[in-house]
Amino acid sequence: MKLSVWTYEGPPHVGAMRVATAMTGLHYVLHAPQGDTYADLLFTMIERRNHRPPVTYTTFQARDLGSDTAKLFRDACQAAYDRFQPQAMIVGASCTAELIQDDPGGLGEALGLPVPVIPLELPSYQRKENFGADETFLQIVRCLAKPTERTKRVSCNLIGATALGFRHRDDITEITALLNDMGVEVNVTAPFGATPSDITRLGAAHFNVLMYPETGESACRWMERNLGQPYTRIIPIGVGATREFVNEVAALAGCAPSLDTDRLRLPWYSASVDSTYLTGKRVFLFGDGTHVAAATRIAREEMGFEVVGIGCFNREMARPIRALAKEICVEALITDDYLKVEARISDLAPELILGTQMERHIGKRLGIPCAVISAPVHVQDFPARYSPQMGIEGANVIFDTWVHPLVMGLEEHLLHMFREDPEFNDAAGPSHHAHGAKQVAEIADSTGAHIIWLDDAERELRKVPFFVRGKARRNTEAFAEARGESEISVETLYEAKAHYAR
Amino acid sequence: MNTAAPISTGCTQTPLLRERGQHEVFCGLTSIIWLHRMMPDSFFLVVGSRTCAHLLQSAAGVMIFAEPRFGTAILEETDLAGMADAQQEIDREVDRLLSRRADIRRLFLVGSCPSEVIKLDLAKAAERLNARYAPKIRVLNFTGSGIETTFTQGEDSCLAAMVAAMPNSDAAQLVVAGGLPDVVQDQMLDLLSKIGVSNVRLLPNRSSDQEFGIGPNTQVAFVQPFLGETHDILVRRGAQPIRAPFPLGEQGTTAWLHAVAARFGISADHVDAVTQSARLRAQKAIAQASEPLRGKRVFLMPDSQLEVPLARFLSRECGMELVEVGTPYLHRDLVGQDLAEIQNGPTLSEGQDVEKQLDRVRAAQPDLTVCGLGLANPLEAEGLATKWAIELVFSPIHFYEQAGDLAGLFARPLRRRSLLGVAAE
């Protein structure tokens, strides 16, 4: 057992729902007790879908357990087919049904429905949401995709976008346009927007674009082996990655690389003098492995930040994230425990957090600005406006999103100049944020209770800009402690500063 | 045919449409989200799966970030393999939890579908932990599993467990059963003291210091309709239930106060005298807020068991016509008085087959459908106005001062529809 208050990922059957809801003409029959329908509202509320997810729940109750829950499942399956007339069905168990061992796959098959019924094995007590989505899509592809003659014009499939995916809707639009500019057609986008009959046409594409490894990699590997389709390895998030992605696509498509950069603004915005103040801003990144890896590159090479820590919650991506961390000489944090993430952030005292909605709340608590780069996200990160993360427009969106929570360059300068001024004092914080730097005091709080700050040193510490003060305080205390000193003077403060100077 | 029925029995004789099938409802675990706020010295530890934890965070929304006093001990593969370990695992997690949270005085072990199916004995665990932590911490257990409880029944299950653990007492007292937001609770206590009822006990009580006993001189008034099990155990322990409509709306509140007063030998005239200004205020507020509701047809889907009292309020005080009143469970001892006040006519349904019920909604084309969040947006997209039901459990809606707000909750979706100039696509 493990005590948990907040989880980054849902159970694996929610991943299966993300695939089912992304598609049309597919129906999911889920052997589950009353209450599991809560997951419907993730789709109808957070993603604001105007249809119910295509999921039928058997809703078994305690009094059914002694008798025939298998019959309940068969009836629900038949009723769902009769009512919705899907092109294909997926069937599986939620965590509770996994314990009663009714074998939805076998039961579904025995019904003899005139459409494919695809069984799902999702181990609820070992795996999580992303695995559920990846595995479900793999099983659908395995069951339905067949070798087919390739399209005459060079084409590819877009693989991995699902319901409840972070900016999946707009990433598809952006990448489709980018590929069209190169003369590459999109054969099928799946699972997002695909029907089961579209899945049977996957084999007609010349290659696959793997948009999101978390939810599409297994299917891409299977298609590589069984349909002879290579797939792209580079995720086109950020300017550099997009350029490399274009080269990768060109090689696979046998065409010349071309990228229309008319609307690309990130490089100039980042080069303009107002962005100078971004140099060396200390950033901590957390989220799913794919977005963290992409964001790390943007942060370092395109924004000029200093990345002080990275991590991911999905252990499927632990290896690449560890390798990347080693490469940039920071420690990787692979955990799904938000308290550990909070402890790391508080320890590193970064000036900006790039993470999920949970990191946004941690940031709020610690008084550190934050921008969201990865699921899980709240309703506000399924925006009405066009906001991709991938490609050219994605880079523009990312520049704006990351810079917005920071104190603007001129504003930061004024904060230094007029430190004691009532309008520009520390507590004022960024002018566009209602919640102030009152919380900053919290991270500035001392950790070593037995170390005394002399008045002069305390006054000097107040002169350190508030967003690095916590770090300065902690470093100084650690420095004093290491030297066996119990008092901190101005002298100690500057000794420590010299010691930690980078 | 309906007109032949005497008005005085209202809907009490209406045949009940019982349905089995897919239920689009929350399980009882959801109750924890408001229960933990009403008992600030308590912690709710769900023993369940990742699904349970995910449900709680999805339903609790941003509340999860405010250091909530609830959590899930997520069962792992190893817990399922060797059942003997499970009890030790619970002990270890509880020890860790209690050492971190020194402020906890009551700990609830909450059963879930997985823990019920593998027959994990939480009662035994509670007993053992009680022995270890008494008297500082009281450990109780109840079930919030979906296989046994629907949404608000989780509160019922919790309160019944609390009653079972109470000592006997012969004290003459009024117990008010059912959780309420602080502000409403204060208003209620104020009203009760004005009409002259003293020695009022609250279930749930805000803190473990306010423990009380139960016995034959205990009178019980219910402010929530979903407390069937709590009602039954209170009656078994000798308490005397007061039958009354629920204090929703001006009429409901007045009838509730009259019933309580009658039990204590207080005259109705006295009640009317001390509540006069509040009643007028409530009537005026309802009249104003319910203006868009008059003559409109409403369909209530099953959710919280509040549906019957709400239907009474909407039809009697807001002038709405009832199409169907669905409830997950109909407890006639509790909602009988409200049923009697509803004019015969609407379909009364218990349980759910959501597809068939949606067919009835579409056929009836009601002006307003009260339903859960999984259905609201899809119905809106079909052109049907909805009021999402969960808000009715979280918001202060009881007693006089909230009567106008309650009508307002139903009127808002209709007002919004008339304001929006651009049709949704």
Side-chain angles (χ1 to χ4, degrees):
Chain A
M1 272 178 219
K2 187 166 179 281
L3 183 65
S4 159
V5 175
W6 200 83
T7 65
Y8 283 95
E9 287 183 78
H13 71 259
V14 169
M17 287 181 72
R18 288 177 51 188
V19 171
T21 306
M23 293 178 65
T24 51
L26 180 83
H27 200 85
Y28 183 18
V29 180
L30 181 62
H31 205 14
Q34 168 173 265
D36 279 7
T37 51
Y38 82 87
D40 283 2
L41 68 88
L42 302 174
F43 300 93
T44 59
M45 298 305 291
I46 295 181
E47 205 176 7
R48 263 189 256 252
R49 293 214 167 226
N50 61 3
H51 283 87
R52 291 168 61 210
V55 183
T56 293
Y57 304 80
T58 56
T59 311
F60 58 81
Q61 294 178 310
R63 61 169 182 262
D64 302 319
L65 289 177
S67 58
D68 200 358
T69 46
K71 181 176 182 305
L72 214 69
F73 181 83
R74 281 193 299 268
D75 293 349
C77 220
Q78 184 70 51
Y81 175 76
D82 294 343
R83 178 174 284 265
F84 299 104
Q85 300 280 311
Q87 297 172 15
M89 289 172 83
I90 51 178
V91 295
S94 78
C95 53
T96 305
E98 193 182 328
L99 298 170
I100 61 175
Q101 300 179 331
D102 274 337
D103 183 23
L107 293 168
E109 202 178 354
L111 282 176
L113 297 175
V115 296
V117 177
I118 304 163
L120 301 176
E121 292 290 341
L122 302 175
S124 313
Y125 297 91
Q126 289 171 21
R127 309 304 294 264
K128 290 180 263 181
E129 181 177 329
N130 279 333
F131 170 84
D134 187 66
E135 173 68 15
T136 301
F137 187 55
L138 169 66
Q139 294 309 328
I140 292 170
V141 170
R142 277 177 65 152
C143 180
L144 301 177
K146 299 281 177 294
T148 326
E149 202 183 320
R150 300 278 195 248
T151 53
K152 288 210 176 61
R153 288 186 55 187
V154 63
S155 69
C156 67
N157 301 311
L158 300 187
I159 301 298
T162 67
L164 272 186
F166 177 65
R167 307 297 167 83
H168 287 195
R169 179 196 69 196
D170 296 341
D171 282 349
I172 291 170
T173 309
E174 187 70 18
I175 293 306
T176 303
L178 182 153
L179 291 164
N180 284 343
D181 284 352
M182 293 178 72
V184 177
E185 278 181 356
V186 172
N187 178 51
V188 172
T189 301
F192 200 103
T195 62
S197 77
D198 290 334
I199 302 296
T200 63
R201 297 191 292 110
L202 281 173
H206 294 236
F207 64 98
N208 286 317
V209 169
L210 173 56
M211 295 180 72
Y212 307 100
E214 275 87 354
T215 49
E217 187 158 8
S218 295
C220 277
R221 285 207 187 127
W222 186 89
M223 288 187 275
E224 185 171 54
R225 277 197 310 276
N226 295 279
L227 305 175
Q229 292 165 317
Y231 65 90
T232 55
R233 303 307 207 267
I234 294 163
I235 311 301
I237 300 179
V239 181
T242 300
R243 290 189 197 280
E244 283 174 19
F245 173 79
V246 165
N247 291 337
E248 191 184 23
V249 166
L252 290 174
C255 63
S258 72
L259 181 64
D260 178 3
T261 53
D262 268 4
R263 289 177 300 109
L264 177 60
R265 298 186 192 93
L266 180 144
W268 164 242
Y269 270 50
S270 198
S272 73
V273 291
D274 189 61
S275 296
T276 314
Y277 79 105
L278 299 174
T279 313
K281 283 256 185 229
R282 307 174 67 258
V283 184
F284 177 80
L285 300 101
F286 197 83
D288 68 43
T290 297
H291 284 91
V292 166
T296 301
R297 180 172 177 183
I298 300 170
R300 287 160 50 90
E301 297 174 13
E302 297 169 25
M303 304 293 278
F305 293 147
E306 182 195 350
V307 173
V308 293
I310 64 173
C312 69
F313 57 78
N314 50 338
R315 66 170 191 228
E316 291 89 346
M317 293 293 282
R319 197 174 291 176
I321 289 299
R322 284 213 177 89
L324 176 61
K326 206 171 166 192
E327 194 184 313
I328 63 171
C329 301
V330 297
E331 210 178 324
L333 179 65
I334 314 296
T335 183
D336 62 355
D337 181 349
Y338 77 93
L339 292 172
K340 287 193 180 142
V341 179
E342 185 174 64
R344 178 66 61 88
I345 290 174
S346 152
D347 204 36
L348 292 169
E351 291 159 76
L352 175 68
I353 306 167
L354 300 173
T356 71
Q357 56 168 304
M358 185 34 103
E359 283 68 47
R360 174 153 54 198
H361 284 273
I362 292 171
K364 213 179 260 180
R365 188 175 301 174
L366 298 178
I368 302 172
C370 179
V372 169
I373 58 164
S374 158
V377 290
H378 277 319
V379 63
Q380 68 266 39
D381 275 301
F382 286 94
R385 66 177 186 278
Y386 183 57
S387 341
Q389 297 286 292
M390 292 184 173
I392 296 300
E393 189 57 24
N396 296 335
V397 167
I398 285 171
F399 181 89
D400 287 347
T401 311
W402 293 11
V403 167
H404 181 87
L406 293 169
V407 182
M408 296 296 146
L410 182 61
E411 203 177 354
E412 182 173 319
H413 179 66
L414 292 172
L415 281 174
H416 280 283
M417 294 267 295
F418 305 107
R419 209 174 284 127
E420 308 298 331
D421 186 283
E423 254 182 85
F424 291 105
N425 67 50
D426 296 355
S431 59
H432 53 291
H433 278 198
H435 62 87
K438 237 184 263 167
Q439 295 105 319
V440 169
E442 287 174 36
I443 54 162
D445 275 352
S446 135
T447 47
H450 50 282
I451 293 183
I452 298 158
W453 284 75
L454 298 176
D455 283 353
D456 282 358
E458 188 79 46
R459 264 197 303 280
E460 199 66 15
L461 183 70
R462 305 301 303 177
K463 297 179 192 163
V464 175
F466 66 88
F467 39 84
V468 289
R469 194 177 303 147
K471 182 87 180 159
R473 181 186 282 272
R474 235 166 295 199
N475 280 350
T476 311
E477 285 173 1
F479 179 77
E481 203 170 348
R483 297 213 305 187
E485 292 173 7
S486 59
E487 285 183 351
I488 292 172
S489 62
V490 178
E491 186 86 346
T492 330
L493 183 65
Y494 283 108
E495 288 280 341
K497 184 172 186 291
H499 177 80
Y500 288 104
R502 352 170 203 157
Chain B
M1 170 177 115
N2 288 344
T3 49
I7 300 285
S8 60
T9 61
C11 266
T12 49
Q13 305 302 318
T14 304
L16 194 58
L17 173 64
R18 281 204 173 84
E19 284 195 307
R20 276 296 321 264
Q22 177 176 326
H23 290 200
E24 186 79 23
V25 289
F26 283 124
C27 64
L29 293 183
T30 326
S31 304
I32 292 169
I33 291 157
W34 64 86
L35 279 173
H36 89 280
R37 311 222 22 103
M38 290 164 183
M39 293 185 262
D41 63 351
S42 304
F43 193 98
F44 294 80
L45 181 64
V46 177
V47 180
S49 64
R50 175 168 299 279
T51 311
C52 307
H54 196 237
L55 160 93
L56 282 175
Q57 86 183 42
S58 307
V62 292
M63 211 186 271
I64 209 97
F65 303 110
E67 281 291 325
R69 290 177 310 280
F70 58 82
T72 309
I74 297 184
L75 291 163
E76 292 167 327
E77 196 86 303
T78 48
D79 300 304
L80 303 176
M83 283 293 300
D85 292 342
Q87 298 284 345
Q88 286 172 23
E89 293 273 305
I90 291 176
D91 287 1
R92 194 197 58 210
E93 285 304 321
V94 167
D95 287 345
R96 275 178 47 189
L97 172 71
L98 293 180
S99 63
R100 269 218 316 261
R101 305 290 294 266
D103 52 327
I104 296 169
R105 291 289 169 272
R106 290 184 285 198
L107 174 69
F108 291 94
L109 300 177
V110 190
S112 66
C113 300
S115 75
E116 303 286 340
V117 166
I118 63 171
K119 306 239 183 300
L120 187 52
D121 193 344
L122 292 184
K124 192 172 114 191
E127 204 178 307
R128 190 181 55 245
L129 289 164
N130 245 330
R132 178 165 356 170
Y133 288 107
K136 192 185 159 226
I137 299 166
R138 186 66 167 276
V139 186
L140 294 171
N141 78 290
F142 68 93
T143 183
S145 75
I147 56 177
E148 286 162 299
T149 59
T150 305
F151 196 30
T152 48
Q153 272 182 297
E155 176 173 333
D156 185 25
S157 180
C158 174
L159 299 195
M162 291 172 75
V163 173
M166 285 176 177
N168 289 317
S169 160
D170 283 337
Q173 59 187 358
L174 172 69
V175 170
V176 179
L180 289 175
D182 285 355
V183 51
V184 182
Q185 208 164 60
D186 292 346
Q187 290 170 14
M188 174 191 74
L189 291 171
D190 186 46
L191 281 167
L192 288 171
S193 106
K194 273 188 187 146
I195 65 172
V197 178
S198 54
N199 211 6
V200 180
R201 303 292 196 167
L202 301 171
L203 179 69
N205 44 7
R206 286 191 61 74
S207 117
S208 59
D209 307 340
Q210 302 161 353
E211 287 288 349
F212 56 92
I214 297 287
N217 292 321
T218 300
Q219 315 297 323
V220 190
F222 293 86
V223 289
Q224 300 286 9
F226 41 73
L227 300 175
E229 199 190 328
T230 307
H231 167 273
D232 295 349
I233 190 171
L234 281 165
V235 169
R236 275 205 301 284
R237 299 204 48 186
Q240 314 284 321
I242 298 170
R243 310 272 179 234
F246 285 88
L248 298 173
E250 184 272 320
Q251 294 173 20
T253 304
T254 303
W256 188 86
L257 288 172
H258 277 158
V260 173
R263 179 62 59 86
F264 288 91
I266 298 161
S267 79
D269 289 347
H270 175 64
V271 174
D272 289 342
V274 296
T275 57
Q276 196 194 8
S277 60
R279 274 186 291 125
L280 289 175
R281 208 157 50 228
Q283 283 165 3
K284 201 172 143 197
I286 294 170
Q288 228 161 36
S290 67
E291 208 263 316
L293 301 175
R294 310 240 151 236
K296 296 291 193 332
R297 298 163 66 245
V298 61
F299 192 118
L300 295 105
M301 298 190 82
D303 193 58
S304 62
Q305 298 185 51
L306 280 162
E307 294 82 6
V308 169
L310 286 173
R312 198 261 308 139
F313 168 72
L314 291 174
S315 64
R316 293 289 302 258
E317 303 190 42
C318 301
M320 295 193 89
E321 184 191 330
L322 305 170
V323 178
E324 176 166 333
V325 182
T327 175
Y329 184 69
L330 190 76
H331 200 291
R332 288 184 186 273
D333 283 339
L334 283 165
V335 298
Q337 307 288 315
D338 285 284
L339 272 182
E341 299 276 317
I342 298 173
Q343 201 168 3
N344 199 5
T347 305
L348 272 188
S349 64
E350 183 186 64
Q352 191 176 33
D353 181 329
V354 73
E355 303 295 350
K356 288 186 186 156
Q357 195 167 39
L358 285 172
D359 287 345
R360 295 200 294 277
V361 170
R362 291 178 186 122
Q365 291 290 308
D367 297 298
L368 187 66
T369 306
V370 183
C371 63
L373 287 174
L375 300 172
N377 268 338
L379 286 174
E380 291 280 351
E382 290 182 28
L384 291 161
T386 61
K387 166 76 211 99
W388 46 283
I390 304 166
E391 195 176 9
L392 299 161
V393 177
F394 289 126
S395 309
I397 58 169
H398 291 69
F399 293 97
Y400 292 126
E401 310 308 335
Q402 282 67 238
D405 301 344
L406 178 57
L409 287 176
F410 292 95
R412 194 181 304 142
L414 297 180
R415 274 188 17 236
R416 182 161 187 82
R417 290 209 143 216
S418 61
L419 284 172
L420 295 180
V422 184
E425 278 173 29

